[in-house]
Amino acid sequence: MKNAIGREIPETISGIAAIKPFAGAFTAVPEMARQAPKVKIIKPTDRKLVDSLVEVFKKIPVTDGMTLSFHHHFRNGDGVVNMVLATAAQLGLKNLTVALSSVFPVHAPIIDHVKNGVVTGLDTNYMSGPVAQAVSKGLFDKPVILRTHGGRGRAIECGQLKIDVAFIAAPAADEYGNLNGVEGPAACGSLGYAFPDAQYADYVVAVTDYLGEYPLSPISIPQTRVDYVVKVECVGDPKGIVSGTTRITKDPVGLKIAETAAKVIQATGLIKNGFAFQTGAGGASLATAAFVRKMMEKDSVVGSFALGGITGYMVDMLESGLFKKLMDVQGFDLEAIRSLSTNPNHLEIGADFYASPFNAGCAVNQLDVVILGATEMDTDFNVNVVTGSDGVIMGGSGGHADAAAGAKVTIIVANLLRGRLPIIVNKVLTATTPGETIDVLVTERGVAVNPLRGDLKEKFLAAGLPVKDIQELKQLAEKIAGAPKAIKTGENIVAVVEYRDGTIIDVVRQVEG
Amino acid sequence: MDLRRSMLFIPGNNPGMLQNGGVFGADSVILDLEDAVAPMEKDAARFLVAQALRTVDYGASETVVRINPLDTFAAVDIKAIVPCCPDAILVPKVESAADIHQVVAMIAAAEKPDQTPVKIIALLETPCGIVEAYHIAKADPRVVALALGAEDYTAGLGAMRTKEGTEIFTARTIVINAAAAANVQSIDTPYTDANDEEGLLADTQLAKRLGFKGKLSINPRQIDVIHSVFNPSLNDIDWAQQVIHAIRKAEAEGSGVASLNGKMVDLPIVNRAERILHLAELLGLMGGEK
């Protein structure tokens, strides 16, 4: 069957319960109650601190077929996922599902656990590195589920991603299970992506290498939801967790795109007091923030909040009075950690608060503008951030589809030519974010506006911006680089791409080799 | 009128930059075969730049190629580049009218029969070049502009190059004056600290006050600042419109003399006003009728 954006979705997919095709960004209506985890009792003399992962596995007990969840705040410095899965393998467990909010190169040992039958399912929002490559080549027997950050929060809250045990890597914990991300050698800042896990898992285990005095302060995840605390030698490598400083790109083309994007935002008229903004931490996205900042300073604009992954750059804007608040679901650098732990206007929020479509209101709904990237975009404005030019999985939505759906204006910044490849295609290989939620594409050679947003096009033309039809931009790119050949994929479905509302927006098929 | 507010150097041995040179909105792109290219890479760069001229769309930007000096690879460069139809050649280290005559002969020999004549911009970057500025500007009708290269020039003087630029003041004014006398454009030396936006602004404002019509640029990030200085301000445009209005009024009344705010409006003033309005029109800065 074809879904609302014309993607072919099989009627049934092995390992997936019920296939609901994507029907439109705001079409699905939830008809369920929230997931209710086990009710707990703990007596005054009971202790939560256990000596080892093996012991905690036995106490719970962790059994074959369970779903173990993890957050990705330690990024490529994470030690906890590998440690926990090694314990599972050591205890002879089989058929586990790993629900890890993002998979990084450091998680390569998962591949062997899959080959040995320890792990048979993967549920994630983003993956890069050896696991992603292996998944593309058919590592798993059943498809991996790729969600959005908000969609994961929703799936947990609605009981569609039922977590048996959440292992929460905690930079700091006390013996009674209060956790935060701002202290200890593996400080990572916000623990937002672990919040839904802590709320809805049947069991919650904190894994830490830093025990603070009871009661820990600040508390990000409270003792009332944490069953056990395991102290280990080391939870992760700080070098892979945070960067020292986040730098703005010096690439002239990236800067050109960023500057144009800032002018696009200015032309929307949204840069005024109360401005709410989200941008990524990389390349042209952060540079856009720098140009937007200049505009805000020039016109003495005080924004309401900046949202999403927080960098030192956004912290500086907060401290300079350009934004009143930061809403932080994930911190990227040391400055973000310092600010979160000292500034009451720097708020730590969970993945569901950030972006879940099925609650009484998430933060992305309050955004004026979001700046996002793309690896591919088609002439219907559908965006791919999952597969690369070779068809191999190299990313995932993360918060992409969430922020795009929520913001008043969603802007994609991308080089029209990435290396030798045009970014605009007739049909993206993998649709991640539907075109109806994308408003503008900004490239170094012009700006394309979604035909649904005639209002914006008029504003941009009035502002003298280089507005072009998306077909025209596509032809321009193809004139320079030629039209790329379509990527050949096999029949086997290696991943299903779930839209934030739980419907299936696309599938990823196996690549050769 | 050829608009050369900004002339952006693009390294001739960098395919990515050659491909993207047109996206930065510079009035001219200078595909560089000289300083940006190491001696070992001259051949490759020449080939790349020739291909770029044939295939890359530089949009509204004028295409200029900086060749190597006459005493090195100028002849090979011209032979390879001129048939690819650049708008102009930037000749480095020009020191005399004879240098220009030599370049003109080589260009003429390399041009295809139906080709639009390739223009010449002379880069003056030695004390001798500065002394000969006027003769260089007048040497041939192909010469459309003089540009100042202050780094080599200061080395030639034995002076220290500073951000304030006191040491190049004389050279700047000589180049401007010679160019004006020969009715060609004068283009200022680049500001070499790409990270110092305030310094660039001050240096460009000084260049404009002295009379330069544009500035060389070594980084795409500098283009907007340079344009912001060389673009006519709203006050400029307003003044120019009043001048033209006064002239038309005087003509309509049959009076030979026009005046504006008690000052006589003579030909040089009218010329300046016309230039501002023409520039404003080219740049789309003209609003509705005043």
Side-chain angles (χ1 to χ4, degrees):
Chain A
M1 58 185 157
K2 277 199 160 66
N3 68 15
I5 56 165
R7 315 299 297 197
E8 190 61 45
I9 311 291
E11 306 275 344
T12 57
I13 301 173
S14 74
I16 309 285
I19 303 288
K20 280 190 196 162
F22 172 75
F26 302 100
T27 309
V29 179
E31 287 170 358
M32 75 281 278
R34 272 186 273 160
Q35 150 78 5
K38 282 186 167 79
V39 175
K40 306 288 171 60
I41 175 170
I42 179 162
K43 293 174 190 152
T45 53
D46 290 346
R47 280 165 46 85
K48 293 187 184 179
L49 192 64
V50 288
D51 291 334
S52 69
L53 284 169
V54 171
E55 195 182 332
V56 94
F57 265 64
K58 288 180 175 163
K59 271 183 185 266
I60 289 174
V62 180
T63 55
D64 290 352
M66 279 188 165
T67 294
L68 313 184
S69 86
F70 306 88
H71 68 70
H72 72 279
H73 287 289
F74 287 3
R75 287 177 282 270
N76 206 37
D78 178 46
V80 169
V81 170
N82 292 342
M83 214 182 287
V84 169
L85 294 181
T87 307
Q90 180 194 332
L91 295 175
L93 291 169
K94 298 284 177 198
N95 200 21
L96 300 173
T97 294
V98 172
L100 164 57
S101 50
S102 295
V103 181
F104 285 87
V106 70
H107 298 122
I110 288 177
I111 296 170
D112 279 341
H113 295 309
V114 175
K115 288 180 179 162
N116 297 332
V118 178
V119 174
T120 52
L122 179 62
D123 191 305
T124 188
N125 313 336
Y126 175 100
M127 54 177 149
S128 63
V131 174
Q133 287 156 14
V135 167
S136 290
K137 289 178 183 167
L139 175 67
F140 286 89
D141 289 336
K142 64 179 178 189
V144 167
I145 301 187
L146 281 170
R147 304 187 197 263
T148 71
H149 284 331
R152 183 178 191 270
R154 179 219 86 243
I156 293 172
E157 190 163 325
C158 299
Q160 293 145 344
L161 170 53
K162 177 139 182 345
I163 299 168
D164 295 300
V165 188
F167 287 91
I168 298 181
D174 64 32
E175 292 191 3
Y176 214 52
N178 294 300
L179 318 179
N180 74 46
V182 295
E183 296 174 293
C188 61
S190 173
L191 287 178
Y193 289 126
F195 284 15
D197 306 47
Q199 285 299 325
Y200 294 101
D202 274 349
Y203 290 92
V204 176
V205 178
V207 184
T208 191
D209 56 9
Y210 179 85
L211 279 177
E213 226 173 77
Y214 181 87
L216 192 74
S217 171
I219 295 172
S220 293
I221 292 175
Q223 62 188 47
T224 50
R225 292 285 173 252
V226 178
D227 302 290
Y228 299 103
V229 177
V230 183
K231 167 92 165 44
V232 297
E233 187 80 8
C234 172
V235 291
D237 174 8
K239 283 204 277 298
I241 298 174
V242 286
S243 53
T245 55
T246 329
R247 285 178 205 282
I248 289 174
T249 181
K250 284 194 168 171
D251 163 50
V253 177
L255 284 168
K256 169 78 188 176
I257 295 169
E259 189 178 11
T260 310
K263 286 178 183 165
V264 161
I265 300 171
Q266 192 172 41
T268 63
L270 290 166
I271 302 185
K272 56 188 180 196
N273 286 339
F275 179 55
F277 184 53
Q278 178 173 339
T279 188
S285 305
L286 196 62
T288 306
F291 287 108
V292 167
R293 175 186 188 142
K294 274 191 195 166
M295 291 168 178
M296 292 174 76
E297 282 170 341
K298 187 163 163 275
D299 297 340
S300 304
V301 168
V302 179
S304 164
F305 69 92
L307 176 65
I310 298 296
T311 59
Y313 197 82
M314 303 318 282
V315 168
D316 192 53
M317 288 184 78
L318 173 73
E319 291 176 352
S320 305
L322 291 157
F323 285 110
K324 289 186 176 172
K325 306 279 165 58
L326 296 183
M327 291 211 252
D328 182 347
V329 70
Q330 168 172 222
F332 284 108
D333 54 26
L334 296 167
E335 275 296 278
I337 298 170
R338 175 190 60 77
S339 168
L340 180 63
S341 62
T342 55
N343 191 335
N345 292 322
H346 186 151
L347 312 175
E348 183 177 16
I349 62 169
D352 48 341
F353 186 122
Y354 168 46
S356 169
F358 289 175
N359 59 26
C362 58
V364 294
N365 290 350
Q366 295 294 309
L367 279 173
D368 287 321
V369 175
V370 64
I371 305 287
L372 298 166
T375 56
E376 257 186 340
M377 182 173 192
D378 64 30
T379 45
D380 295 326
F381 286 77
N382 298 310
V383 169
N384 171 15
V385 287
V386 169
T387 44
S389 56
D390 50 2
V392 174
I393 297 171
M394 40 69 65
S397 180
H400 196 284
D402 298 311
K408 286 194 186 80
V409 176
T410 299
I411 298 169
I412 301 291
V413 290
N415 290 44
L416 186 62
L417 292 167
R418 219 164 16 90
R420 57 185 177 80
L421 292 173
I423 186 130
I424 306 170
V425 293
N426 279 331
K427 200 172 165 220
V428 287
L429 180 67
T430 313
T432 316
T433 303
E436 66 174 292
T437 64
I438 304 289
D439 301 309
V440 189
L441 167 67
V442 176
T443 75
E444 73 279 22
R445 289 167 201 269
V447 173
V449 185
N450 190 324
L452 298 170
R453 298 301 305 265
D455 57 324
L456 290 180
K457 187 174 175 184
E458 275 174 31
K459 286 179 180 171
F460 298 166
L461 285 170
L465 286 160
V467 177
K468 294 194 169 83
D469 186 83
I470 189 143
Q471 292 285 359
E472 190 186 342
L473 271 183
K474 177 170 172 278
Q475 283 158 14
L476 192 59
E478 287 175 0
K479 203 178 134 202
I480 299 167
K485 277 189 196 156
I487 299 156
K488 274 194 179 167
T489 54
E491 282 303 306
N492 184 30
I493 293 173
V494 297
V496 296
V497 185
E498 189 197 77
Y499 190 59
R500 59 200 299 255
D501 62 5
T503 60
I504 304 304
I505 191 163
D506 211 345
V507 295
V508 181
R509 293 176 193 272
Q510 187 166 343
V511 291
E512 311 297 323
Chain B
M1 182 170 59
D2 294 323
L3 199 55
R4 295 193 186 89
R5 294 166 299 170
S6 60
M7 303 187 75
L8 173 66
F9 282 107
I10 306 280
N13 56 350
N14 182 331
M17 284 297 288
L18 284 174
Q19 179 191 294
N20 288 314
V23 308
F24 303 112
D27 291 334
S28 310
V29 288
I30 305 173
L31 315 182
D32 191 10
L33 298 175
E34 196 210 10
D35 283 357
V37 181
M40 294 291 289
E41 292 185 20
K42 296 288 185 194
D43 279 358
R46 199 177 292 125
F47 182 74
L48 272 175
V49 167
Q51 286 297 327
L53 287 169
R54 286 199 196 100
T55 55
V56 177
D57 179 7
Y58 287 101
S61 300
E62 173 187 49
T63 53
V64 180
V65 177
R66 174 159 74 171
I67 58 170
N68 287 286
L70 278 164
D71 56 358
T72 62
F73 306 105
V76 209
D77 290 343
I78 288 174
K79 208 173 163 189
I81 296 302
V82 165
C84 304
C85 303
D87 294 313
I89 295 285
L90 177 65
V91 187
K93 299 191 177 63
V94 178
E95 297 201 314
S96 65
D99 286 352
I100 296 294
H101 296 147
Q102 212 182 323
V103 171
V104 168
M106 289 192 279
I107 291 177
E111 273 172 352
K112 295 180 287 189
D114 53 349
Q115 187 174 343
T116 309
V118 174
K119 296 166 191 159
I120 293 173
I121 298 168
L123 186 57
L124 311 184
E125 42 188 343
T126 60
C128 283
I130 300 299
V131 167
E132 292 295 319
Y134 175 69
H135 298 116
I136 292 167
K138 289 290 271 186
D140 190 276
R142 286 187 194 250
V143 177
V144 293
L146 298 181
L148 173 64
E151 303 306 310
D152 286 356
Y153 169 71
T154 333
L157 283 186
M160 172 99 104
R161 183 81 176 94
T162 64
K163 280 197 174 180
E164 301 72 42
T166 327
E167 69 284 355
I168 60 167
F169 182 77
T170 304
R172 275 175 154 164
T173 52
I174 288 175
V175 168
I176 293 162
N177 190 64
N183 199 24
V184 301
Q185 286 178 333
S186 51
I187 311 293
D188 192 26
T189 190
Y191 190 74
T192 52
D193 184 351
N195 293 321
D196 179 4
E197 201 172 293
E198 281 178 22
L200 171 68
L201 181 66
D203 197 52
T204 311
Q205 284 169 335
L206 172 64
K208 186 188 176 186
R209 277 203 305 278
L210 292 176
F212 280 114
K213 302 299 178 286
K215 195 163 175 64
L216 298 171
S217 165
I218 44 98
N219 192 301
R221 276 185 280 159
Q222 297 182 322
I223 304 292
D224 273 11
V225 172
I226 293 175
H227 285 186
S228 75
V229 174
F230 283 106
N231 285 352
S233 68
L234 290 179
N235 280 344
D236 290 342
I237 297 171
D238 197 28
W239 170 83
Q241 282 173 328
Q242 287 183 39
V243 168
I244 300 303
H245 182 73
I247 281 287
R248 289 204 186 122
K249 194 171 158 223
E251 280 169 4
E253 289 168 358
S255 158
V257 186
S259 70
L260 178 64
N261 302 331
K263 286 181 192 165
M264 194 177 78
V265 176
D266 53 11
L267 192 61
I269 290 187
V270 176
N271 287 346
R272 184 163 164 251
E274 280 176 342
R275 184 174 192 283
I276 288 170
L277 291 181
H278 187 67
L279 197 57
E281 205 161 306
L282 269 182
L283 299 169
L285 298 175
M286 301 288 276
E289 290 299 303
K290 289 211 73 151

